[in-house]
Structures are given as structure tokens and as C-alpha cells.
Amino acid sequence: MRITYFADVLLPLPLPSLFTYRIPHELDKPVAFGMRVIVPFGRSKLYSALVVRVHDEVPKQVNTKYILDVIDSQPVVSEKQFKLWQWMADYYLCTLGEVMAAALPSALKLASETKILLHPDFNGDVSVLNENELHIAEALTYQESMTVDQIARTVNIQKILPIIKSLVDKKVVVTDEELRNPYKAKKETVIRLADNYAEESAFMTLLDQLNSSQRTVSQADSLLAFIMDAKSEQGYDFAARVPRSKLLESGKITPSRLQTMLKKGYLVAEEVVTSRLVDYSSRDEADHIQLSDPQEKAFTRIHEQFKDHPVVLLHGVTGSGKTEIYIKLIDEVLKQGKQVLYLLPEIALTTQIVNRLCKYFGEKVGVYHSRFNEYERVEIWDRVLKHGDGLDQTSKYQLILGARSALLLPYRDLGLIIVDEEHDASYKQQDPAPRYQARDSAVVLAHLHGAKILLGTATPSLESYYNTQQGKYGLVELTQRYAQSKLPDIWVVNMAEAHKRKEVQGLFSDFLVEQIGKALDNKEQVILFQNRRGYAVRMFCNTCQTMPTCKYCDVTLTYHKRSGLLKCHYCGYAIDVPHRCPTCNSTDIEMKGFGTEKVEETLAEIFPNAVIARMDLDTTRSKNGYQRIISDFEQHKTDILVGTQMVTKGLDFDRVSVVGILNADALISFPDFRSFERAFQLLAQVSGRAGRKEVPGKVVIQAFQPRHPALQYVESNDYSAMYESQIAERKEYLYPPITRLVKVTLKHTEEKIVTAAAQKLAQPLRAAFPRRVLGPQAPIVSRVQNYYLEDFWIKFNKDSHLENNKQELLRIIHEFQENKAFKSVKMVINVDA
């Protein structure tokens, strides 16, 4: 009797459980953990699901559906990777399907897509069709099938479904479900010598024949040019394949001449699969790096700490040379044949760090972040997965450099994880689920692989530093800058006094303008930090005191001068700048506040000969936007760089002598329990961009609260004092890292419903967690993308009851969601918010 096997599969959907499908006897492909299979789901949809378990246990449900096909011959995820997914789903209170959806590149997540075809019985009678219907029918006569999106673009109508339904009712078209696989291997045409001439003697004979006739001597020249292009360090390669594009770009062979030689059979054109990724080559050995005495001591101390602690915090001041220590550690692990993950908080940082790492590790380096397209991500995924499978080195990566999402790649054998700038808030995913903290998840990933993890920063998060004080993490401190360079001098300018004395030019104090001028005179560079993009914060009517606000969010619209729009930075809503007040029709309107765009414009007026660049979300939307701006600044093509917090994160420039912080008050006045800590970190980090090499550094902080403690700690570079003051406050009010904090947000398009729902949910929450529930409370921005919001903050002790408390929270939420009155209320759970 034949055994019937079943597979438990995971779908990339926010569903709480796995689904069981029957494996058909006639399926001639093996089914195993980590492979993708095609399964029917719902009435008519097809999905690619991930096999989690194969077994012969008959499921309880009747009419178990069959697996339709197997996509992969090898697993696309690793077992350790899947264990990380399970931990993330459990810890961050989300579904395993949401983790899968976040982890897999979109090109590996296949879903069925409705196809539209002409009805087989359609006789061509178009008399009953309107203009749009006729347009669609004509289009389908030229194409066998079209997707709904393709049809919508063809007729230029967004609401296309009613028209398609009408065509279905008239029996002009039918619908079909077809599995969509967006991944396509990149191909290019390569040219090689025909087999008859692929040896030196045969080639030389052909060359002599062609040179013997005046009519064919030009062909001989072209063949000679081809073989010169194929030349390598080892000599002439008569079997080489040269990309057609490269051959024509050289200009030595024209398209017509190439076509002639292909027709005559001297050359052969082939289509081959090629990589979309950039391959790097190394130019130096990590052994050649000479560490300074403080670096050497820190390097030795890290190894000592690793003996007792798998997690070590490297607390090194800005410019202390942490990257050189990272490179030495990476080199040791790569020589053991293991993989290394190097996490960065921001895509902007990858440009500089990639260049430095590739200098030493070349083709072993892979880069992964959200700016890559879906095809490039699949190629990187495959190269990471192939580590240790015996294939040639060029088809796999040992060192992966990337932002938060690089954590989710299918590593086989990690030996080391480096989390650079570990304090950065960008490591926390906010939307959509899973809302994970990459730094903390990296600690779990390292544990699964038995790897070490190094957290590096000049301004540690209170959580990480607290763990060192509790003996959970090791601690290594590096208190001196590299090569005897000194920390910058810091001045705090009292802007209230400066305005009184009229010592202000536009947005800048006279003192800052003077320092910028001196730097430019000395051919040095300047970085100016303003943590708000756009031109002006808001438009204000002096007659009725109103400001244009977003149609969908409770925020004022920000003025962007270059585009001539007022924009919402929460949902993207935008309107043209009105010339009159929309409320009272007055023309007495003005722009208040300032962003990076206005800083750039004002600077150009004061320093008309300076080359000024701006680095914010508006100027770095393109894939290579960061790289272009940073490269120009590195090469001293730019004199002044204006930016948001992108300019604060680990960038290393050798000619920056002045850093200006234009509005420090905006950082220290934000109503959040972490605002003091983050203000210190941000101000200290941006200050650290100055004076990193032989050029002495100066930092000018403009503030209306010059004696604020956060500014004083930055001025004295006293992290320990800042930590002690903040940890005492956290202990008193039971905030992280003393407790775990879970944020629960309710969302609905009607304010009354979300308010009532919050009051209803508050009762069981307060009963289950007495004196540990804050809220319900509408956040500062109480409506986003047309949803009204209510927040709860729940504090859990970090003890053995934590897991039980989180499960109790889930139970309360699930019971609440069963209430028919609040079925339409959306819930968002954010652990460690």
C-alpha cells in the first residue's frame, strides 16, 4: 500500500497558522523543507508556499487540497534562518507569514494574477460595445492575454473592473488565473570565435587568408581587434567570450562589420545568463593594516571579552578607528571559511564602507539593501545561500554588508556579526510587521549560529550599555581618536541673545557664518545639520491664524520650494502653494520655520562662490543618489554639505573642519522618553564628523536653550554622566531598559469608533496588568492616512513572567477582536517600541 504524504506549508500572508496540503503520488519532484510549492488557496488564488514539514499524518480536515507543483530543486531558506523567523514571530507578536513576507525578496513570492482573454465563442460582433470596451477587445485580438493592470494602462482608466465585468457579462472576454513569476535571469549577448578558429594555429591561418585579399583585410583587422579585447594577463584567450556591448563600445568593430563576420561564420553570438551585481576586486591585505596602540589594546580586549561574552560592546569615540578593528576581526573569520554580516543603520553609509571593505575583501563582499531591485535581491539571496556548497568562490558571498533587511538573508555558517552605530533608531522596523529591532534580532541570529557579535558606536544605546553594566555583554572602550587627531572644540551659541544683539544673518549666527567663511578660505569643508527637509515647516495666515493641513493626517503641510508644493511627510498628500489663504482668502500669508531646502538657498546668498549640496530624502530617492553626493564631497567637489540626520551616521571625511547644528532645540524638546538620549546621540554623532584627520575641528550648536543638560553633556563629551542621569530616570518611572515596553495602537477612519474601542479595550488591559498600562491616549499626530489613532503603552517586567504576560496580552486582543462592534478597528502591536 502506498503511503500518502502531506506537507505543512507557510504562506506569505498575515495568517496565524500553517496549512496542510496533500502531496500527489504522481508528483515526480521531491518535496522537502525550505522548498517553494504552488498551492491553491481560497476559491481561485494560487500562491507559492514554503514547505515547513513533510509527514504522513492525516489531517483532521476533509478534502485536503493538493500541491500543484514544486518550484525549487533545492531549499531557498536555511533551517537556522527559519528558526530566526519563528523567534521573531513569537517575540514581536506577529505571524510567521508576516516575517516570511518581509524576508523573502518579492521575486521569490509568487501569487496568481487575473488574466483576461477573449471568449472562445466571441464572434467579433462589436455593435454592443462602448468605446472603452471596444478598445479592450481590439487590444486582446493582438495579444493572447492581458493582466488587469495592463488593460488599465492600455485604456488609461483606473477603475477598470466594472468595464471588465461588463465584457464578461457580454461574453466577450473570460478570466483566468495564472501564476506570476516576476524573476527573470538577466541575459546578455556574448561573441566568441567559431569552434573552427578557437585555437591559435587555426586563427592565424584565417588571419593570413583574410589579409591576402584587399577586400577582406578590414575583416582581418576586426578579428585582430576582437582577440585583443579578449586578451588577459595570461595572454591571448582564443576561447574567450566578449560581451557584444563591450565590443561595440570600443569602436574598433562596427555593428555592420560584426554582422558580416557572424554571417561568414568567423564569430558566433550566444546568449548567456549574467549577474546584475557589481563584483569587486581586492587591492590590499588586511594584514597590512597597522593598528595604533589604543586600537591594538582594544582589539586584544575584544578577543578576551569574547571568551566570556558572545556579545561585546565597542564604545569608541568618533574618529577612533573602529572600522580598522572591524576589518581585522572580519579577516580572521573569513580565513576560517565562515560568513560575516556587517549591519549599518542607513543606506547612505554603505557607499563609503563598501569601498573600504572591498579594498581588502574584493569579490567576497556582497551588498544588500532596499534600493536594490527585486532581481538583484534574488541574486544576492542565492549567493549567500550557496556559501559552503562547494561551488566556485565567485558565485557566493562570505561578507554581507547591508541595512536592517540584510539580517533576514539565508546564512549557512555565520562566524561574526558587526552592528555598526548600534544605537541608531533606524534599526527598529516600524511598519509593516514584523516590527523588529535588528540589533536585538542579530543577537539571536548569532546565538543560532554559535557566532560572536560586536556592537560598535560612539554613543551606545542605554539598552546596550545597561546590559554591559549588568554583566550580560562585554565592554571594550576606545577613548582616543586615531593618529593623535583631537576631538573638535564645541561652542553653543545662545540664539535668543544673538537675535537681541542682531548678530544673526538669516538662519545663521554671525559666529557660525564667520567659522564657515574661515573654513572656505582655507579650502576646508563644512557640514550643516538641520533635521527637517523641505523649505518651510508651514504656511501661516496672519489674518485668521490658520495653516493648511493634510487632508488625511492631522499635520501641517511642509513647503517645498523647488517643486512648488505643500506636502505631507506622513502620507505624501500634496497641493499647489495657494496665493491666498484657503480659509479667509487673505493675501497676508507667510512661511514659518525652515528646512534643508531653505538652508541651502540662504547659504548660496551668503557664500555665492561656494559649491553647496543637500542630502535628504528629496535628493537621495534614486538608487545612486547617496553615492553621487557622498562621492562629490569626498573628492572635494563640494564645499558645504547640508543635510538631515543622514549626515550624522558614521561618514568619514578628511577635510571637514566646521560642523554647524542649526536648531538643536527641535531635538531636545520632543515629547518622548527617549528624546534626551537620542538628542545627545544625534548631536554627538554629527559633532564627530569634524576634525577627523589632520584638520582641527570646530562644532557650532545654535540653540535657544543653551544650558539644557543634553547640550552640556555633548559639550563636555560626557557619555557616562548622560547615562547615569537617564538610567536613574528610567528606573524611577519604569521605562526601558528596566522594563519591556509594548505599544498597542488602535486605528479607524471614524474618531468615535476608535475612541469607544480604546475605552472598551482599556478595561481588560488594566485588570490584567494593574498599574502598568498607560493610555488610551491619542498620539501627537492623532490621524495618519485617514485613520484616527489611540495608543496604549504597557510595561512588562523583564522576568520569567514576560512570555506569559505577552501571551495574555494576545488573548485579550483576540477576544476584543471578536466583538462585532469593533470588527473594523485595526490593531498594531509594537514590542520594544
Side-chain angles (χ1 to χ4, degrees):
M1 180 178 176
R2 297 177 70 180
I3 300 175
T4 300
Y5 287 98
F6 300 88
D8 295 336
V9 304
L10 175 63
L11 291 163
L13 301 170
L15 301 171
S17 60
L18 303 177
F19 294 85
T20 303
Y21 286 82
R22 181 175 295 184
I23 301 174
H25 291 298
E26 59 272 19
L27 193 66
D28 58 355
K29 302 173 184 176
V31 178
F33 166 83
M35 293 180 179
R36 291 171 303 152
V37 292
I38 299 172
V39 296
F41 190 76
R43 292 186 178 181
S44 59
K45 284 282 185 182
L46 301 178
Y47 280 95
S48 66
L50 194 71
V51 176
V52 175
R53 177 172 167 255
V54 177
H55 57 87
D56 59 1
E57 301 162 15
V58 179
K60 293 180 181 178
Q61 76 264 26
V62 294
N63 300 325
T64 304
K65 294 180 179 180
Y66 284 92
I67 287 173
L68 301 181
D69 200 0
V70 181
I71 299 173
D72 307 302
S73 59
Q74 298 290 330
V76 295
V77 302
S78 67
E79 291 188 11
K80 290 174 182 175
Q81 178 188 25
F82 189 73
K83 287 179 181 177
L84 177 68
W85 291 7
Q86 290 175 311
W87 176 84
M88 290 174 70
D90 291 341
Y91 184 82
Y92 292 106
L93 303 181
C94 62
T95 67
L96 200 51
E98 287 172 315
V99 182
M100 175 186 173
L104 284 181
S106 56
L108 293 181
K109 294 176 290 189
L110 316 182
S112 60
E113 185 171 298
T114 302
K115 291 277 188 175
I116 310 299
L117 305 85
L118 279 178
H119 196 292
D121 297 333
F122 177 56
N123 59 9
D125 181 10
V126 296
S127 59
V128 294
L129 305 183
N130 62 33
E131 184 179 349
N132 287 327
E133 292 171 343
L134 178 61
H135 194 173
I136 294 170
E138 287 178 344
L140 286 169
T141 60
Y142 296 104
Q143 298 189 51
E144 185 177 338
S145 65
M146 296 175 71
T147 67
V148 173
D149 288 341
Q150 286 172 331
I151 290 175
R153 287 195 296 269
T154 299
V155 297
N156 199 25
I157 295 176
Q158 287 187 332
K159 294 182 178 179
I160 195 67
L161 291 180
I163 300 174
I164 292 175
K165 184 179 184 303
S166 172
L167 288 169
V168 170
D169 293 341
K170 293 174 181 177
K171 295 187 177 181
V172 176
V173 302
V174 293
T175 63
D176 187 24
E177 291 288 328
E178 180 179 297
L179 197 69
R180 183 177 66 91
N181 184 352
Y183 180 71
K184 294 180 177 63
K186 182 182 178 183
K187 295 183 178 181
E188 71 173 351
T189 302
V190 295
I191 308 297
R192 64 174 177 85
L193 287 171
D195 293 339
N196 295 341
Y197 311 110
E199 293 181 1
E200 184 175 2
S201 58
F203 176 78
M204 296 307 295
T205 301
L206 174 63
L207 215 57
D208 289 341
Q209 291 174 358
L210 295 175
N211 275 321
S212 64
S213 170
Q214 192 64 34
R215 293 175 58 192
T216 57
V217 71
S218 60
Q219 295 173 23
D221 293 342
S222 296
L223 277 176
L224 199 56
F226 169 81
I227 208 65
M228 291 299 290
D229 266 0
K231 187 179 180 181
S232 66
E233 291 180 1
Q234 286 74 37
Y236 296 107
D237 184 358
F238 294 93
R241 290 171 166 81
V242 180
R244 183 180 184 275
S245 56
K246 179 186 173 185
L247 206 58
L248 296 177
E249 278 173 15
S250 68
K252 297 172 184 175
I253 301 178
T254 63
S256 60
R257 185 75 50 74
L258 177 60
Q259 199 61 35
T260 300
M261 290 190 293
L262 288 171
K263 283 182 180 179
K264 288 183 176 290
Y266 304 149
L267 298 176
V268 175
E270 295 176 337
E271 220 178 35
V272 297
V273 174
T274 186
S275 174
R276 295 179 170 86
L277 307 175
V278 176
D279 283 321
Y280 304 97
S281 58
S282 57
R283 303 183 301 278
D284 205 345
E285 296 289 333
D287 294 337
H288 296 164
I289 293 176
Q290 295 294 317
L291 299 180
S292 66
D293 286 343
Q295 285 176 315
E296 192 68 56
K297 289 176 183 176
F299 181 69
T300 303
R301 184 76 178 134
I302 288 168
H303 280 293
E304 292 172 353
Q305 288 288 303
F306 273 152
K307 293 175 183 177
D308 301 317
H309 302 93
V311 185
V312 173
L313 172 65
L314 175 59
H315 179 197
V317 297
T318 56
S320 58
K322 294 185 289 293
T323 305
E324 283 75 17
I325 295 174
Y326 298 159
I327 291 170
K328 285 282 193 182
L329 291 168
I330 291 167
D331 187 52
E332 289 180 347
V333 175
L334 295 187
K335 285 176 178 175
Q336 297 168 17
K338 293 177 178 288
Q339 293 173 301
V340 176
L341 169 60
Y342 190 130
L343 285 176
L344 292 159
E346 194 79 58
I347 298 168
L349 288 182
T350 60
T351 300
Q352 278 199 324
I353 297 297
V354 164
N355 293 336
R356 294 179 72 176
L357 293 183
C358 289
K359 177 182 176 183
Y360 298 103
F361 305 116
E363 63 189 16
K364 295 177 182 177
V365 179
V367 183
Y368 190 81
H369 55 63
S370 58
R371 291 293 173 94
F372 283 135
N373 65 44
E374 55 187 315
Y375 306 130
E376 291 169 324
R377 290 197 201 186
V378 172
E379 287 196 27
I380 297 165
W381 184 282
D382 286 342
R383 289 198 186 192
V384 174
L385 188 63
K386 285 175 181 176
H387 175 76
D389 60 8
L391 296 177
D392 69 287
Q393 292 295 328
T394 57
S395 64
K396 56 195 177 186
Y397 287 141
Q398 258 190 289
L399 169 58
I400 289 294
L401 179 71
R404 187 175 59 222
S405 57
L407 180 81
L408 302 173
L409 288 168
Y411 302 99
R412 291 278 190 89
D413 188 18
L414 275 172
L416 175 67
I417 299 177
I418 294 171
V419 184
D420 200 10
E421 310 296 345
E422 65 83 26
H423 66 278
D424 201 283
S426 301
Y427 281 124
K428 182 71 166 78
Q429 164 85 358
Q430 296 299 336
D431 279 303
R435 295 171 179 85
Y436 65 100
Q437 164 55 260
R439 177 195 63 222
D440 299 342
S441 301
V443 172
V444 176
L445 179 62
H447 174 73
L448 291 171
H449 285 264
K452 304 298 183 184
I453 178 166
L454 183 67
L455 312 177
T457 179
T459 52
S461 63
L462 259 67
E463 285 83 356
S464 295
Y465 201 78
Y466 179 77
N467 282 333
T468 69
Q469 302 305 296
Q470 299 299 304
K472 188 176 179 182
Y473 293 176
L475 174 64
V476 176
E477 295 188 298
L478 190 55
T479 57
Q480 295 180 32
R481 277 193 156 186
Y482 183 73
Q484 279 78 50
S485 62
K486 296 180 180 179
L487 287 167
D489 297 325
I490 298 176
W491 286 275
V492 178
V493 177
N494 186 333
M495 291 302 287
E497 289 295 323
H499 278 284
K500 283 181 185 176
R501 296 171 183 168
K502 296 184 179 180
E503 296 174 348
V504 175
Q505 298 182 47
L507 311 174
F508 313 108
S509 63
D510 285 351
F511 182 73
L512 178 55
V513 171
E514 180 186 349
Q515 298 306 314
I516 294 172
K518 287 179 180 178
L520 296 178
D521 290 342
N522 294 329
K523 305 299 181 185
E524 295 163 356
Q525 293 174 295
V526 177
I527 291 178
L528 296 180
F529 169 64
Q530 166 61 7
N531 206 26
R532 182 179 286 275
R533 62 190 173 97
Y535 187 86
V537 177
R538 57 195 173 273
M539 191 185 90
F540 184 76
C541 175
N542 291 312
T543 303
C544 66
Q545 283 77 52
T546 61
M547 298 171 285
T549 57
C550 177
K551 184 178 179 181
Y552 306 106
C553 310
D554 281 342
V555 290
T556 56
L557 298 175
T558 300
Y559 174 44
H560 289 251
K561 187 172 183 179
R562 185 163 295 183
S563 59
L565 296 172
L566 293 174
K567 292 183 180 179
C568 172
H569 288 175
Y570 281 80
C571 70
Y573 172 76
I575 61 172
D576 291 327
V577 178
H579 299 293
R580 294 175 177 273
C581 172
T583 304
C584 69
N585 212 32
S586 169
T587 56
D588 187 12
I589 54 179
E590 63 176 313
M591 298 298 176
K592 298 277 190 178
F594 65 95
T596 51
E597 209 175 333
K598 187 172 183 179
V599 174
E600 182 184 25
E601 182 183 280
T602 309
L603 272 174
E605 293 170 0
I606 300 173
F607 301 104
N609 297 322
V611 179
I612 303 166
R614 175 164 53 94
M615 189 162 78
D616 56 26
L617 186 63
D618 297 324
T619 61
T620 58
R621 293 185 187 276
S622 65
K623 180 178 175 181
N624 297 313
Y626 293 106
Q627 188 170 346
R628 175 181 50 79
I629 295 169
I630 290 172
S631 178
D632 285 351
F633 200 66
E634 275 184 319
Q635 296 170 29
H636 308 152
K637 295 178 182 177
T638 305
D639 299 315
I640 305 174
L641 179 62
V642 178
T644 55
Q645 59 181 310
M646 292 178 185
V647 302
T648 71
K649 301 182 181 183
L651 297 172
D652 188 7
F653 303 111
D654 59 1
R655 297 292 299 169
V656 174
S657 63
V658 174
V659 166
I661 298 165
L662 302 184
N663 185 15
D665 303 274
L667 302 173
I668 57 183
S669 304
F670 196 75
D672 182 275
F673 77 93
R674 286 194 177 96
S675 65
F676 191 106
E677 174 193 3
R678 287 181 175 163
F680 173 86
Q681 289 166 342
L682 206 56
L683 293 169
Q685 287 287 338
V686 72
S687 299
R689 300 316 105 205
R692 294 178 70 90
K693 295 294 190 295
E694 69 276 3
V695 179
K698 303 181 186 69
V699 178
V700 180
I701 301 174
Q702 297 186 164
F704 286 88
Q705 306 172 68
R707 305 315 300 162
H708 191 283
L711 300 183
Q712 291 182 312
Y713 292 140
V714 172
E715 198 171 359
S716 58
N717 193 38
D718 196 346
Y719 174 84
S720 296
M722 186 282 295
Y723 170 80
E724 292 299 336
S725 73
Q726 287 303 291
I727 206 70
E729 195 173 287
R730 304 278 179 94
K731 286 177 179 177
E732 182 178 356
Y733 295 105
L734 297 178
Y735 276 103
I738 310 305
T739 59
R740 295 283 187 202
L741 195 63
V742 178
K743 179 184 176 185
V744 179
T745 301
L746 279 63
K747 304 167 68 174
H748 199 275
T749 53
E750 292 186 35
E751 188 175 11
K752 288 182 180 178
I753 292 177
V754 78
T755 302
Q759 294 300 328
K760 184 72 175 176
L761 181 60
Q763 299 167 15
L765 285 178
R766 288 173 181 151
F769 313 113
R771 298 187 303 279
R772 290 302 177 95
V773 179
L774 301 177
Q777 175 68 50
I780 296 173
V781 181
S782 59
R783 185 172 62 112
V784 175
Q785 295 181 355
N786 223 26
Y787 281 95
Y788 290 93
L789 310 176
E790 288 283 342
D791 289 338
F792 289 91
W793 298 83
I794 307 160
K795 300 173 184 177
F796 292 138
N797 286 335
K798 295 166 73 173
D799 55 23
S800 58
H801 301 295
L802 176 61
E803 191 57 39
N804 290 336
N805 284 333
K806 286 163 72 175
Q807 292 307 312
E808 177 64 11
L809 173 62
L810 279 182
R811 185 193 65 75
I812 291 170
I813 288 173
H814 289 156
E815 278 190 9
F816 172 80
Q817 289 175 324
E818 294 299 315
N819 188 328
K820 292 182 179 179
F822 304 119
K823 277 277 188 183
S824 57
V825 175
K826 294 186 176 183
M827 307 279 286
V828 173
I829 304 174
N830 194 342
V831 178
D832 295 341

